[in-house]
Amino acid sequence: MKKRLDEKLELVFQDVISRNPGEGEFHQAVREVLESLGPVLVKYPEFRQHKILERICEPERQIIFRVPWQDDQGEVRINRGFRVQFNSALGPYKGGLRFHPSVYLGTIKFLGFEQIFKNALTGMPIGGAKGGSDFDPKHKSENEIMRFCQSFMTEMHRHLGEYTDVPAGDIGVGTREIGFMFGQYKRLTNRYESGVLTGKGLDWGGARVRREATGYGAVFFLNEMLKSRGTSVEGKTCLVSGSGNVAIYTMEKLQQLGGKTVACSDSNGVIFDRKGLDLNLIKQIKEVERVRISEYAVRQKRAKYFPNGKIWEIPCDVALPCATQNELTGKDAKTLVKNGCIAVAEGANMPTTSEGVHYFLDAKIAFAPGKAANAGGVATSALEMQQNASRDAWDFAYTETKLADIMKQIHRRCHDTAEEFGTPGNYVNGANIAGFLKVAKAMAALGLV
Ligand code: GLU
């Protein structure tokens, strides 16, 4: 099923494998981009001469550090922190922080690599980075979370700055965590430097629509993609995996545009409601009470809860994986297509395995890769940076119009680029090529740095 790489791209790929042993997700993310680039290197032979590919696969800087903190019992705990500053050809490093026990260097590298192209696709002046820790926020008290965030920032602050590197949230990091980190940054530097972090609270420099942006953006992209095939989100039955920030605001926008979400999930199980999920109840459970999604079926008798259930086995028109990497396999892709699914938009980063992606592309359903479909989050982060720089605060409607516009442009760019390079309808190629070209041209212009 794997696409073959031409000889020179294969050499680049083998080099990435041997220089980054054991980092499977990073290899996967690199391979997916390389698979799209054959025709680009034919058209732009100078990129070979400048060794753009070899350079783009090697992070500009990787920081790994110890994060010591004390739990509520007074016990000393040690975690590992990461920041991979991957590429700054287009602007300061930009990308989220992930706190999850599964995080290791390979996770951050794959996310940072994807972020380069995603950020380029937004058309905003931002480079690519990612960071995080193997810290597990589950079952931690608010004080423990605060102490961890402060310790994390105590090391990280020296590597950040509004013109240097601007982190935000990702899995396990929301406004609360950004607040604790911003407070510590401010204390250590004696600067109220709003533009150093995005995803801030509305009272202290945050931007409207940032919370909603990744989910809303994914649905805007999906709708554009469906429109180009003569249909739309309206009346579609949808599956949304996950129940975090991305999933919640994906469901909200689907609902606003007339779609119906019948299932969502967390790492323990799936909830299903044929009549459509009650979004207010999900928000109450996940945003206010911060408990497991199984609680939904306790309070809404109509719904069914499937512990360890597989969400992709439920028949749907549209699937939006919004949980985590590699959550949708080749087998799941086959099941979805067999059950009549016509479109998939990735709200999470790399949620579909390469077998799954190839299956969707071969089946010719509308498939939106994460680096295009979920770019609304980071694009709105760039809008937050703009507002911080001009000490301004835009209203919700204006900001949402901007986001909708950006997603439309990203869709157009991916759509047209796929066509230009001979694979119409293939948004994977469109996104990889359009993102790569922007970064590669800037790198070539900036000389050997
Ligand atoms: N973590 C988000 C992403 O995957 C947002 C990054 C940001 O806003 O900087 O794109």
Side-chain angles (χ1 to χ4, degrees):
M1 277 270 255
K2 253 188 188 166
K3 224 177 116 177
R4 273 177 58 88
L5 294 173
D6 81 27
E7 205 183 317
K8 284 185 183 134
L9 287 169
E10 185 63 39
L11 283 178
V12 173
F13 183 58
Q14 289 310 324
D15 199 41
V16 168
I17 293 184
S18 64
R19 291 165 71 83
N20 304 276
E23 298 178 354
E25 298 90 343
F26 179 46
H27 305 162
Q28 181 185 341
V30 170
R31 179 160 187 117
E32 200 218 88
V33 172
L34 294 181
E35 283 181 357
S36 299
L37 294 184
V40 180
L41 296 184
V42 174
K43 192 165 172 196
Y44 298 91
E46 63 271 29
F47 292 158
R48 280 202 204 277
Q49 179 202 331
H50 291 304
K51 293 256 169 32
I52 297 289
L53 281 179
E54 291 82 344
R55 280 157 64 193
I56 222 168
C57 292
E58 182 70 20
E60 289 175 15
R61 189 177 294 112
Q62 307 183 53
I63 303 144
I64 305 180
F65 51 99
R66 180 172 69 200
V67 189
W69 57 283
Q70 243 176 338
D71 68 20
D72 287 345
Q73 284 68 47
E75 190 88 25
V76 171
R77 306 270 205 117
I78 309 294
N79 284 97
R80 187 171 291 175
F82 304 92
R83 186 71 180 165
V84 174
Q85 299 178 329
F86 227 118
N87 194 295
S88 60
L90 296 178
Y93 303 111
K94 182 84 197 85
L97 299 170
R98 177 175 293 191
F99 291 171
H100 191 272
S102 66
V103 164
Y104 74 112
L105 184 59
T107 320
I108 304 300
K109 261 194 227 165
F110 112 67
L111 290 164
F113 186 75
E114 293 254 306
Q115 200 83 43
I116 305 172
F117 306 100
K118 182 197 307 196
N119 293 5
L121 278 174
T122 65
M124 324 284 284
I126 40 180
K130 206 84 188 192
S133 173
D134 58 2
F135 174 73
D136 185 0
K138 243 185 232 152
H139 310 301
K140 299 288 190 296
S141 72
E142 185 140 312
N143 275 323
E144 289 175 326
I145 302 263
M146 181 177 73
R147 286 195 294 274
F148 177 80
C149 289
Q150 290 177 337
S151 181
F152 186 87
M153 186 51 92
T154 300
E155 170 57 33
M156 238 211 351
H157 85 280
R158 68 189 88 249
H159 307 289
L160 307 182
E162 61 179 323
Y163 295 109
T164 307
D165 186 353
V166 182
D170 195 84
I171 293 172
V173 178
T175 307
R176 176 179 64 172
E177 291 73 20
I178 294 291
F180 295 147
M181 288 190 265
F182 184 66
Q184 184 75 347
Y185 183 87
K186 181 170 77 64
R187 187 175 191 194
L188 288 166
T189 58
N190 195 31
R191 282 165 63 85
Y192 203 106
E193 192 184 328
S194 300
V196 75
L197 287 168
T198 61
K200 298 182 294 298
L202 294 180
D203 298 326
W204 37 279
R208 290 195 175 75
V209 194
R210 177 62 192 89
R211 180 181 57 174
E212 293 84 358
T214 311
Y216 278 21
V219 179
F220 288 142
F221 193 98
L222 168 71
N223 208 29
E224 287 303 308
M225 192 165 70
L226 289 173
K227 281 202 266 179
S228 80
R229 293 179 173 220
T231 179
S232 77
V233 165
E234 199 180 343
K236 299 288 184 291
T237 297
C238 310
L239 303 177
V240 177
S241 65
S243 48
N245 172 268
V246 179
I248 288 175
Y249 292 95
T250 294
M251 294 190 261
E252 184 163 286
K253 188 48 77 182
L254 285 170
Q255 187 174 313
Q256 289 171 8
L257 296 183
K260 182 174 74 174
T261 306
V262 294
C264 73
S265 62
D266 65 15
S267 51
N268 293 7
V270 174
I271 50 163
F272 171 65
D273 186 344
R274 196 181 309 280
K275 292 227 161 93
L277 294 170
D278 173 355
L279 195 54
N280 287 331
L281 181 53
I282 295 179
K283 282 187 183 173
Q284 172 66 25
I285 288 168
K286 298 307 292 188
E287 291 185 336
V288 181
E289 297 173 32
R290 295 174 185 263
V291 293
R292 307 307 295 173
I293 201 70
S294 54
E295 188 57 28
Y296 184 96
V298 176
R299 297 188 203 178
Q300 173 54 270
K301 295 290 175 234
R302 204 176 55 212
K304 281 203 175 74
Y305 175 65
F306 302 107
N308 304 313
K310 264 303 225 177
I311 193 169
W312 311 125
E313 287 169 4
I314 300 168
C316 69
D317 301 313
V318 172
L320 294 115
C322 296
T324 194
Q325 67 269 18
N326 292 329
E327 54 163 314
L328 197 166
T329 65
K331 194 164 156 258
D332 299 328
K334 218 169 166 172
T335 307
L336 281 165
V337 173
K338 186 177 73 151
N339 286 342
C341 174
I342 58 159
V344 174
E346 296 187 325
N349 290 313
M350 208 169 75
T352 311
T353 64
S354 20
E355 289 72 28
V357 173
H358 287 125
Y359 191 86
F360 287 140
L361 293 177
D362 291 344
K364 300 244 183 286
I365 70 156
F367 176 75
K371 59 172 84 70
N374 73 36
V378 75
T380 307
S381 278
L383 299 179
E384 184 172 334
M385 291 161 76
Q386 259 182 48
Q387 291 167 78
N388 292 151
S390 57
R391 301 186 183 281
D392 203 351
W394 309 338
D395 69 23
F396 196 95
Y398 176 76
T399 317
E400 192 185 0
T401 309
K402 284 223 160 211
L403 168 64
D405 217 53
I406 291 168
M407 295 315 295
K408 247 187 206 167
Q409 284 175 35
I410 297 176
H411 174 268
R412 177 95 345 251
R413 229 167 264 149
C414 296
H415 180 273
D416 293 356
T417 307
E419 230 166 67
E420 187 192 333
F421 283 84
T423 52
N426 184 332
Y427 289 89
V428 173
N429 278 345
N432 287 337
I433 297 174
F436 173 79
L437 275 177
K438 185 138 201 223
V439 184
K441 285 177 183 170
M443 286 175 74
L446 296 184
L448 187 54
V449 289

